[in-house]
Amino acid sequence: MKVLFVAGDSKPERWTQPIKALLPEAEVVTWDPNGDPVMADYAIVWRPPVELFAREPSLKAIFNLGAGVDGLMSLPELPPELTVVRLEDAGMSVQMAEHVVHQLLEISRNMQVYRAQQNQHQWQLQRPIKRSAWPIGVMGMGQIGTRVASTLASLDYQVNGWARSEHSLAGVTTFAGPDGLAPFLQASRVLVNTLPLTDDTRDLINYDLLSQLQPDSVIINVGRGEHLVEQDLLDALDEGQVARASLDVFRQEPLPADHPFWQHPNIIVTPHISARSLRESTLEQITAKIRAHAQGRAITGVVDRSRGY
């Protein structure tokens, strides 16, 4: 069995050595853009070059080093019959929950006011928040979304969840499908986006959607930059429909230095750090799935091409 590592890392041995230790029965090869075909059985990839699919026609499956596979799905060179496997959690869901809680408390509990007071040497208490005034809507109820929603519910916030299909989660009021989107939005003041990027979800967070949220709404986007229509958010902020936004993902990354998000007083920008896959957990998961697939056993995380995730 040959496993090809294709991730563009300047130090691929940081990945290939653990892969060899976890999968000793495999020959592990690093992608060489100028090399010859290696007739690999499996590939572990992150933003692979399109040449991969023509050069390695014997691939049985490719394993993505991340949960989001929108970049892969958009490649016209991706063979339609090739099995694509996404990363499941690998330490990302707890990081995402931490990030969302941090951003929520930063805004709801006026932490920026306390920092300003510190600069002025002022000791002045702000009123405690009423959690009932901060109903939260989590879009996307996969592993990450459910972890975020459950964490927020455990802090006694009113939490709503919305997804394409029906879900049930303790402590969370759930909505589903196109018919459930409007009542979900109307019940939410804080909107947390954890959706995968598909043709159906691209540009979903637009002016019309933002206008359906409760007044003085807050947007926390940890999904994909392409979910958000950027000018629509700026317009909603200027008009006061949206009070604050915390953005971790963007249409262009790194965010250009002249982008208006940087200087907007009501936008918090972070450089796509809300959740990062942990190498050890990631490789343990992927190598176990490669072994199982090679032995003819079923594996989880296989991407449904019709859904895009």
Side-chain angles (χ1 to χ4, degrees):
M1 175 171 57
K2 287 187 179 181
V3 175
L4 184 60
F5 180 75
V6 192
D9 193 308
S10 60
K11 296 181 179 180
E13 64 275 7
R14 295 183 295 186
W15 297 86
T16 55
Q17 290 178 0
I19 294 170
K20 291 176 182 178
L22 290 163
L23 205 63
E25 66 268 35
E27 179 184 351
V28 181
V29 182
T30 300
W31 169 263
D32 180 352
N34 300 312
D36 296 323
V38 299
M39 301 305 290
D41 300 289
Y42 299 100
I44 299 173
V45 307
W46 179 249
R47 297 178 180 174
V50 295
E51 296 81 8
L52 168 68
F53 307 110
R55 191 195 296 184
E56 299 294 334
S58 62
L59 286 172
K60 299 172 184 175
I62 59 172
F63 293 78
N64 195 48
L65 285 170
V69 293
D70 44 281
L72 277 173
M73 295 297 101
S74 65
L75 293 176
E77 296 83 359
L78 182 69
E81 72 284 356
L82 182 60
T83 298
V84 178
V85 186
R86 59 181 172 80
L87 191 64
E88 298 178 283
D89 199 346
M92 291 184 289
S93 64
V94 66
Q95 295 177 64
M96 193 76 80
E98 288 175 335
H99 181 85
V100 170
V101 168
H102 177 88
Q103 297 303 323
L104 172 64
L105 299 184
E106 172 75 16
I107 295 167
S108 67
R109 298 192 63 178
N110 292 317
M111 292 302 171
Q112 75 280 8
V113 173
Y114 289 118
R115 286 197 297 276
Q117 290 179 180
Q118 179 178 351
N119 291 333
Q120 299 293 325
H121 299 189
Q122 293 180 353
W123 183 283
Q124 183 175 345
L125 277 63
Q126 302 295 308
R127 292 184 178 220
I129 67 169
K130 294 182 179 179
R131 278 170 170 71
S132 60
W134 293 90
I136 302 165
V138 178
M139 288 202 302
M141 296 299 287
Q143 286 187 317
I144 288 176
T146 55
R147 183 63 179 266
V148 170
S150 294
T151 300
L152 293 168
S154 74
L155 297 174
D156 294 341
Y157 286 94
Q158 176 188 326
V159 181
N160 307 303
W162 179 83
R164 172 177 175 171
S165 57
E166 296 284 350
H167 288 73
S168 179
L169 186 62
V172 177
T173 303
T174 55
F175 302 80
D179 292 341
L181 183 57
F184 161 80
L185 295 170
Q186 293 161 10
S188 304
R189 179 181 177 187
V190 180
L191 183 68
V192 180
N193 176 42
T194 69
L195 287 166
L197 181 63
T198 67
D199 290 340
D200 291 333
T201 63
R202 190 181 305 274
D203 298 329
L204 180 63
I205 308 176
N206 55 25
Y207 188 87
D208 177 65
L209 182 145
L210 294 172
S211 67
Q212 297 179 65
L213 293 165
Q214 294 184 5
D216 295 320
S217 58
V218 172
I219 310 302
I220 301 176
N221 189 18
V222 290
R224 284 288 187 265
E226 292 87 342
H227 287 132
L228 174 67
V229 180
E230 295 181 344
Q231 187 58 52
D232 286 6
L233 173 63
L234 292 170
D235 291 343
L237 283 163
D238 291 344
E239 295 171 10
Q241 169 59 35
V242 174
R244 296 286 296 277
S246 170
L247 308 176
D248 186 57
V249 288
F250 306 91
R251 288 178 177 265
Q252 182 178 346
E253 296 182 2
L255 188 66
D258 60 350
H259 198 286
F261 284 170
W262 285 113
Q263 299 298 326
H264 200 289
N266 293 321
I267 294 178
I268 298 171
V269 171
T270 52
H272 205 146
I273 48 77
S274 56
R276 303 183 68 181
S277 56
L278 306 178
R279 185 181 296 120
E280 182 177 346
S281 299
T282 294
L283 294 183
E284 287 176 353
Q285 180 184 140
I286 289 176
T287 54
K289 288 183 178 182
I290 289 175
R291 180 178 290 116
H293 191 276
Q295 295 173 353
R297 293 185 280 124
I299 60 174
T300 59
V302 175
V303 173
D304 182 340
R305 295 291 188 97
S306 66
R307 293 190 173 190
Y309 59 91

